[in-house]
Amino acid sequence: MSAREVLLVVHTGREENIKTAKDVAGRLTDAGIKLRILGEESPDLDPACFGTVVKHAPEAAEGAEVVLVLGGDGTLLRAAELARPAGVPMLGVNLGRVGFLAEADADALDDVVAAVVNREYRVEERMTVDVVAKINGTELARTWAWNEASVEKISRERILDAVLEVDGRPVSGFGCDGVLCATPTGSTAYAFSAGGPVMWPEVQALLVVPSNAHALFARPLVLSPQSVVAVELDGVGGHPAVLCCDGQRTFELPPGARVEVTGGSLPVRLVRLKRSPFADRLVRKFSLPTQGWRGPSR
């Protein structure tokens, strides 16, 4: 039987996070589970306590049982770059603020470690989007996103002139700060802040949200995951823009560029410890008022 291994990804910017990571590493090692850590994090994490140092590359997570993420949503998004191509599920522990993507908070570390050691968890798949940027038929970039792919203006004083296309047909053109193409997971992130709706994670759909658009028709759109959404930038008198995916991968777009987004070919896999409804997570994370609710038994 091959040795069990876990890739540990840590937000090392806080001393308390490092102490937590050392505690978790010790408990997993005592249970006979080998650890890997990323080279970029190793200066802050003693390799003698944390095991093998690996490069930040797709192969970093290959063969691991779980990618255990200690940090906030940004750390989880960073870890997804490694976990997704390897098909390895991620288990997030929130050591940040909101931590909407994380499965557990810091006070549940005992449950997290026990679940990993005993393999007592289930795995669910989350939709992603595939993204291609082109100009005059020439490919500029090919990437993906778990939360959202956003096309945004670079200069604050400029307006981004864009035309929105769905399945090969123009829908609307407007000046704006940007256009977001989000997944259901990403609906509670940037897209929510830009005025988009909340979508439950099990919904399979694409969400398109214009940001601060100067137009009569610039409402959020909910589309089939089989749809192809395109954002075309003005090529005559237009200005450069930027394509940003999950805040992790950015690409500059020249005037006249075209960005195409469709449902992703490869999902992100997440560890779930409890079967609590998404509504409970939504209420807890956003501190939503529920006073006066009596429930279905009334």
Side-chain angles (χ1 to χ4, degrees):
M1 182 181 294
S2 59
R4 302 178 63 191
E5 290 191 77
V6 166
L7 171 61
L8 197 61
V9 179
V10 185
H11 183 328
T12 59
R14 301 176 183 172
E15 186 61 34
E16 189 62 32
N17 293 4
I18 296 174
K19 292 179 181 178
T20 299
K22 188 172 183 179
D23 174 50
V24 170
R27 289 197 258 177
L28 292 177
T29 301
D30 289 344
I33 298 175
K34 293 184 177 181
L35 297 178
R36 306 174 191 172
I37 58 171
L38 299 175
E40 65 203 57
E41 298 170 4
S42 61
D44 299 311
L45 303 174
D46 182 2
C49 300
F50 290 90
T52 307
V53 177
V54 295
K55 293 181 179 180
H56 191 288
E59 57 269 22
E62 288 183 359
E65 286 186 15
V66 169
V67 177
L68 183 55
V69 184
L70 305 179
D73 284 348
T75 311
L76 204 58
L77 290 167
R78 178 165 58 90
E81 294 183 294
L82 309 173
R84 178 178 179 259
V88 176
M90 296 188 297
L91 174 49
V93 179
N94 178 36
L95 302 182
R97 290 179 294 175
V98 177
F100 205 97
L101 298 175
E103 174 63 9
D105 292 322
D107 58 5
L109 270 176
D110 290 345
D111 294 337
V112 169
V113 173
V116 173
V117 171
N118 300 319
R119 294 191 176 104
E120 294 176 342
Y121 55 82
R122 63 188 180 89
V123 177
E124 70 178 33
E125 294 187 345
R126 292 289 184 89
M127 177 182 164
T128 60
V129 291
D130 289 334
V131 187
V132 180
K134 305 175 181 177
I135 186 165
N136 299 324
T138 300
E139 187 173 300
L140 299 173
R142 182 175 294 271
T143 185
W144 68 282
W146 177 20
N147 262 356
E148 78 283 311
S150 64
V151 178
E152 304 174 40
K153 65 181 186 179
I154 292 178
S155 301
R156 182 178 180 181
E157 67 274 12
R158 304 289 187 184
I159 289 180
L160 183 70
D161 289 312
V163 175
L164 180 63
E165 172 192 297
V166 177
D167 295 331
R169 302 305 302 163
V171 173
S172 186
F174 38 70
C176 60
D177 286 348
V179 180
L180 288 69
C181 298
T183 66
T185 299
S187 71
T188 52
Y190 191 177
F192 178 78
S193 299
V198 172
M199 293 196 292
W200 261 233
E202 58 266 25
V203 173
Q204 294 293 299
L206 283 172
L207 175 60
V208 180
V209 184
S211 177
N212 294 326
H214 298 253
L216 291 176
F217 184 80
R219 300 296 185 183
L221 305 177
V222 180
L223 309 170
S224 162
Q226 282 74 47
S227 289
V228 179
V229 177
V231 179
E232 290 191 344
L233 305 184
D234 182 14
V236 180
H239 305 283
V242 63
L243 167 64
C244 183
C245 294
D246 291 340
Q248 305 294 314
R249 298 167 295 281
T250 59
F251 307 89
E252 187 165 329
L253 301 172
R258 173 186 173 92
V259 175
E260 297 178 353
V261 181
T262 190
S265 57
L266 196 62
V268 165
R269 306 182 74 219
L270 286 181
V271 167
R272 288 298 180 214
L273 304 181
K274 300 178 181 179
R275 294 186 178 273
S276 58
F278 176 73
D280 289 353
R281 177 185 295 267
L282 194 68
V283 168
R284 186 176 71 256
K285 294 296 185 180
F286 286 163
S287 299
L288 301 180
T290 57
Q291 295 86 352
W293 179 74
R294 292 179 292 162
S297 61
R298 66 185 184 276

